[in-house]
Amino acid sequence: MSCTPFTIAPMHDGDRQAFVDFELRNRPAFERYNRARAPHHYTPAGLDEAFGRLLSRQSIGQVRIWVARHQFGHWLGRVALFAHQQRGQAWGLLAYQTDLDHCRLGVATQLVRQCVIEAVAQGYSWLDAQVTHDNEASIAVLTRCGFLPDGPDEAVDLKRGLVETLRLRRVVHVPNPALLQGANVSLSS
């Protein structure tokens, strides 16, 4: 297996063409494990609208999106962390996808780890992910990143039929500074 150099950074306005290329190239893989998007989504106007919506939602903090970029600029993968509130607790829902030709290179694992880092920074209580029961690669990535099965989730109607899903959850432990002050612990800055 060869290593493809990549960087992870937030999605920005300059990523418009990379977004379009990624969406078009990875449509069949996306639709294998996710609900198919409307045909309009894959038109030039639809892709432009979708990218604009993501940027808009990112600018107001509803979602944070990171992309793994190849040294030549095209996307190897992306992850979105959607912000939620429940009973006074902040939590996140993540969704990610890797480019067809760049699976098994650690891209997905690094993208999910980026979400965990952000969850700690945002003070989230937990992270959730929903996967189809047969998406072994995604289940392995999430498990490697500390997610545990949290039970079945709703079935989804995919192009290949009705498919059962699983919810995986990672509890995010944010250290309480008051507890650390009473302990014999030094924190490096």
Side-chain angles (χ1 to χ4, degrees), residues 6 45 49 64 66 69 91 101 115 123 136 161 166 170:
F6 64 90
E49 290 166 13
R64 296 178 189 280
W66 294 272
R69 289 183 187 85
W91 64 280
D101 289 339
C115 282
E136 294 173 7
L166 304 171
R170 177 181 168 138

Side-chain angles (χ1 to χ4, degrees), residues 43-83:
T43 66
L47 289 164
D48 193 53
E49 290 166 13
F51 186 77
R53 273 192 313 274
L54 288 174
L55 280 180
S56 176
R57 291 182 72 190
Q58 186 168 256
S59 73
I60 59 174
Q62 290 179 338
V63 65
R64 296 178 189 280
I65 302 162
W66 294 272
V67 295
R69 289 183 187 85
H70 186 273
Q71 62 187 355
F72 301 114
H74 65 269
W75 287 10
L76 306 181
R78 68 160 177 232
V79 67
L81 178 61
F82 298 89

Side-chain angles (χ1 to χ4, degrees), residues 46 81 133 142:
L81 178 61
H133 71 92
L142 292 165

